[in-house]
Amino acid sequence: MDILDILVSKGKINQQVANDLRIKSIKESKDIEFIINESNVIPENDLFEARGILYNTPFKDLSTITSIPRDIFNIFNTRDLTERIVLPFDKTAEGAIMLAMQNPLDIQLIQYFENKYKIKIVPYLAIPEQILTIINAQSSQQIESNVIDDVEAANTDFNIEDVTGNVENVSGDIDGSIKNAPIVKIVNTVLEYAAKNGASDLHIEPTKKILRFRLRIDGVLYEKLSVPLALAPAIISRIKILSRLKIEEKRLPQDGRFNIKVGKEYIDLRVSSLPTVYGEKIVIRLLRKAESISDIKDIGMQGKAFEEYKNSLTLTKGIILITGPTGSGKTQTLATSLSYVNKPTVNIITLEDPVEIEIDGVNQVQVNPDAGLDFATGLRAFLRQDPNIIMVGEIRDEETARLATQASLTGHLVLSTIHTTSAAGALPRLLDMGIEPFLISSTIELIVAQRLVRKICNHCQEDYIPEESVLDNIKEIFKDSSIDIAKYVKSSQEKNNVIYLSRGKGCNYCSNTGYLGRTGIFEVLVVTNDIRKLILEKDSSDSINTVAVKNGMITLVQDGYLKVIDKITTIEEVYRVAKESVE
């Protein structure tokens, strides 16, 4: 019995329609369910109900659900639910979570949620669009409904006793009456919402009339909440107390940190305060331990640049630098690279601030300035640990840079990051730190500049014919490149004589943004003999970049445009993250 037989037995279609659909499926070599859906012979609910019978799994029509109990929805990370298209909607009498899924036969996915959240799951079949609609609605309502009552309760005179309390946990496990204070509940709710929605940064900003909360998700800021400005002193004081900052100091910037636990996940928060015209602004960076390390082929590097980078990781000495602004994926690239070269015969030691991604078999050390363990001190100690590969989280000053060069000269491969906008810019930056040109030229082997771009949502992706000026711009970008862009475009396009690019229309899967997920764009600069001569002459980054391009280097924006042609991202997205390279 197949799904057509079930539909006939249920009276949803007659036998003749079933026969026609079966023949069409065979002729077009397409899945029978795809043919049914494409033909629009029955409502989607009927198709999924029949699929549930076929799978021996109950079907749940989520259109009948108006709301989900908060204690059930809050068990899960919202990002987890959205990316895997599942929805917890109820509990059984035994306490198991009823989980709506687009594929209830996915045993690995069920085990993932059971192991991560320490719960028992009963799978249900549901329509993916309905799942995502409710997740989006529930997520938006969550922060608003949770905060609105607390805002009303907090509209009283601010009392310092209402913001003190435990600093380790915001997930509802705080001891004592402090957890019920309205201000504390507002802060807890906002932090929990930011963590569950995959935000990298939380901005708390006083304006003329309100205190607004913005989240940076996938590199873009979204305003999610605002409260009366009168609550700003209490909310900011609560955060300053959690991060052990001086609450009475409002004229100078301050930096602090604290840890939170949201569900089963521990997150390190870095807090920065800044005095503004309307009061103190707080920015909180959320640093979470990654659950998995990508395969090196999945980071987004491609072609000749990818091969050059992999080859550099096999060197026994020298320095490999990863450059880019905060949030450009440098840490993930380094972790993926170390995982690629990690083997029992290699001794790898890292010094990080903080250790964001744990790698089995790698000796990872957390910087602790209060105890006197900074990058320079740690690097000195590493040289007595017989390492093959050393990874230093960031080269920030001359002492760290000098120790890194010395380590590479004595037969170690050193990986690190440095904050510059381009690969070529890293070399003058080291000169500015006071490192001698001959040391730089003899140790630096390869430099990678990278950014993260959002990928086009594959659920609402559509092709379009770009304007002629856009195509002219692409040709201009590649005029000095080693890539024959006309040939590349021709080989990547499925339809002859017409060039198509892609964009996302916006749908429930991508929260109507048109983008889903991110990938990297890169420029990989190999330090050749020509470039070593320029370093010795203390030449500019522009001169170094020109020679690198002549040697075949693909620039950041060129790599981004190649991914545009390959319909991975959009020109607007490449321009957003690599604006300085375009200009």
Side-chain angles (χ1 to χ4, degrees):
M1 177 179 282
D2 64 10
I3 199 164
L4 286 174
D5 296 326
I6 293 171
L7 290 170
V8 171
S9 68
K10 290 289 183 180
K12 302 298 182 181
I13 59 174
N14 59 43
Q15 191 62 54
Q16 183 58 51
V17 171
N19 292 340
D20 292 343
L21 291 172
R22 192 172 274 117
I23 291 169
K24 186 177 181 182
S25 172
I26 294 169
K27 280 184 176 180
E28 298 183 9
S29 299
K30 293 180 180 177
D31 181 75
I32 188 64
E33 290 190 26
F34 177 85
I35 294 295
I36 296 170
N37 203 38
E38 184 183 56
S39 302
N40 284 323
V41 293
I42 56 171
E44 193 172 26
N45 271 22
D46 289 344
L47 174 61
F48 272 79
E49 192 171 351
R51 187 187 292 175
I53 295 171
L54 184 66
Y55 291 171
N56 195 28
T57 304
F59 167 68
K60 180 64 180 179
D61 182 5
L62 297 176
S63 64
T64 62
I65 293 180
T66 55
S67 65
I68 297 172
R70 197 177 295 173
D71 63 320
I72 294 176
F73 189 83
N74 285 351
I75 292 172
F76 297 83
N77 184 309
T78 308
R79 190 90 162 184
D80 256 350
L81 301 180
T82 303
E83 290 180 352
R84 292 166 174 84
I85 315 177
V86 299
L87 176 72
F89 62 90
D90 207 346
K91 279 184 180 179
T92 65
E94 295 77 23
I97 299 296
M98 298 178 182
L99 194 69
M101 309 173 63
Q102 64 175 340
N103 180 12
L105 301 184
D106 190 340
I107 303 301
Q108 285 187 325
L109 187 58
I110 293 172
Q111 289 176 344
Y112 167 82
F113 280 103
E114 287 186 333
N115 293 335
K116 180 173 181 177
Y117 296 101
K118 311 301 180 188
I119 54 174
K120 181 67 178 173
I121 282 175
V122 178
Y124 282 74
L125 178 67
I127 299 172
E129 287 79 7
Q130 290 184 355
I131 291 174
L132 290 164
T133 297
I134 293 180
I135 291 173
N136 291 337
Q138 191 81 13
S139 179
S140 298
Q141 292 169 5
Q142 181 187 23
I143 189 168
E144 294 173 4
S145 60
N146 285 5
V147 166
I148 191 167
D149 293 337
D150 297 326
V151 168
E152 292 176 0
N155 272 321
T156 58
D157 290 338
F158 167 50
N159 187 336
I160 191 64
E161 294 178 0
D162 289 339
V163 297
T164 57
N166 188 294
V167 300
E168 297 300 324
N169 195 317
V170 300
S171 61
D173 302 328
I174 297 175
D175 296 327
S177 60
I178 182 64
K179 68 181 179 182
N180 296 317
I183 293 298
V184 172
K185 290 168 72 177
I186 291 172
V187 172
N188 290 356
T189 298
V190 171
L191 291 176
E192 186 173 3
Y193 181 85
K196 288 191 171 186
N197 284 272
S200 61
D201 301 89
L202 166 63
H203 292 238
I204 305 173
E205 303 166 319
T207 64
K208 192 171 184 178
K209 295 182 179 179
I210 60 169
L211 180 69
R212 68 174 180 173
F213 296 80
R214 294 194 292 168
L215 301 181
R216 189 177 295 280
I217 301 173
D218 285 343
V220 179
L221 277 172
Y222 299 94
E223 185 169 342
K224 292 293 183 180
L225 177 72
S226 64
V227 299
L229 188 60
L231 297 181
I235 290 172
I236 290 170
S237 292
R238 170 62 179 165
I239 293 169
K240 290 172 78 172
I241 287 171
L242 289 171
S243 47
R244 295 181 174 90
L245 302 180
K246 298 176 182 177
I247 62 172
E248 71 278 2
E249 179 57 78
K250 301 177 182 178
R251 299 168 300 171
L252 296 174
Q254 297 186 72
D255 295 311
R257 60 191 292 179
F258 64 102
N259 297 310
I260 63 173
K261 179 186 175 188
V262 179
K264 304 293 182 182
E265 184 179 29
Y266 286 91
I267 301 174
D268 188 29
L269 304 183
R270 302 299 176 90
V271 181
S272 171
S273 73
L274 182 72
T276 70
V277 173
Y278 297 112
E280 288 182 277
K281 172 182 176 176
I282 298 285
V283 174
I284 302 175
R285 185 158 181 77
L286 291 82
L287 301 173
R288 47 177 61 77
K289 295 188 184 298
E291 294 168 5
S292 61
I293 300 171
S294 304
D295 190 287
I296 195 166
K297 69 178 184 296
D298 297 327
I299 61 177
M301 236 181 256
Q302 55 188 354
K304 179 185 174 185
F306 183 43
E307 294 306 317
E308 288 173 337
Y309 183 65
K310 284 197 301 182
N311 290 338
S312 73
L313 294 174
T314 64
L315 297 173
T316 56
K317 63 182 180 64
I319 298 176
I320 299 171
L321 292 176
I322 313 291
T323 78
T326 301
S328 59
K330 299 188 299 296
T331 301
Q332 184 68 46
T333 298
L334 282 174
T336 301
S337 303
L338 291 179
S339 180
Y340 176 70
V341 297
N342 185 22
K343 56 185 72 173
T345 56
V346 178
N347 180 22
I348 304 174
I349 308 179
T350 77
L351 187 62
E352 305 170 64
D353 184 23
V355 175
E356 293 182 49
I357 303 173
E358 295 179 2
I359 311 169
D360 287 340
V362 173
N363 306 285
Q364 295 175 271
V365 179
Q366 167 80 50
V367 167
N368 187 352
D370 294 337
L373 178 58
D374 55 19
F375 283 113
T377 305
L379 200 45
R380 285 194 200 91
F382 282 7
L383 297 178
R384 297 189 290 272
Q385 289 285 315
D386 187 32
N388 299 105
I389 299 174
I390 297 171
M391 193 275 272
V392 182
E394 183 182 347
I395 294 179
R396 299 177 177 174
D397 51 43
E398 179 184 351
E399 188 176 13
T400 306
R402 194 169 293 281
L403 286 167
T405 56
Q406 289 172 359
S408 69
L409 287 170
T410 53
H412 305 91
L413 181 63
V414 179
L415 282 73
S416 190
T417 70
I418 191 168
H419 282 286
T420 58
T421 58
S422 66
L427 298 169
R429 176 80 181 98
L430 290 170
L431 287 171
D432 291 342
M433 288 182 179
I435 307 303
E436 292 81 358
F438 74 89
L439 283 177
I440 298 172
S441 66
S442 58
T443 56
I444 305 296
E445 298 291 341
L446 181 136
I447 306 168
V448 178
Q450 73 173 82
R451 303 288 189 276
L452 289 177
V453 294
R454 293 180 293 173
K455 296 191 293 185
I456 299 169
C457 174
N458 56 2
H459 298 284
C460 62
Q461 186 169 359
E462 65 173 3
D463 287 349
Y464 71 98
I465 301 174
E467 295 179 3
E468 197 64 34
S469 59
V470 172
L471 300 178
D472 290 340
N473 182 37
I474 292 176
K475 292 174 185 175
E476 179 67 20
I477 289 292
F478 283 93
K479 69 177 182 179
D480 297 323
S481 169
S482 58
I483 289 181
D484 183 345
I485 193 61
K487 185 176 179 181
Y488 188 92
V489 169
K490 186 176 180 180
S491 66
S492 69
Q493 299 295 336
E494 297 176 359
K495 302 169 185 176
N496 294 328
N497 303 322
V498 180
I499 296 175
Y500 289 88
L501 301 182
S502 279
R503 60 193 171 201
K505 293 185 291 186
C507 63
N508 282 330
Y509 289 88
C510 59
S511 300
N512 292 311
T513 63
Y515 298 98
L516 189 64
R518 291 198 288 179
T519 190
I521 59 173
F522 301 87
E523 64 181 30
V524 177
L525 188 157
V526 178
V527 181
T528 61
N529 289 333
D530 291 340
I531 292 175
R532 294 187 199 282
K533 290 177 183 178
L534 295 179
I535 296 170
L536 291 171
E537 294 167 3
K538 296 186 179 182
D539 223 321
S540 67
S541 60
D542 288 341
S543 299
I544 293 170
N545 190 74
T546 299
V547 171
V549 169
K550 285 182 180 178
N551 290 341
M553 183 184 81
I554 302 300
T555 66
L556 266 175
V557 69
Q558 286 172 346
D559 189 44
Y561 275 27
L562 291 178
K563 288 180 170 68
V564 169
I565 294 166
D566 289 337
K567 301 181 180 179
I568 296 171
T569 189
T570 64
I571 287 178
E572 294 80 8
E573 185 66 6
V574 173
Y575 184 82
R576 181 182 70 83
V577 302
K579 190 184 301 182
E580 71 280 355
S581 298
V582 178
E583 295 172 344

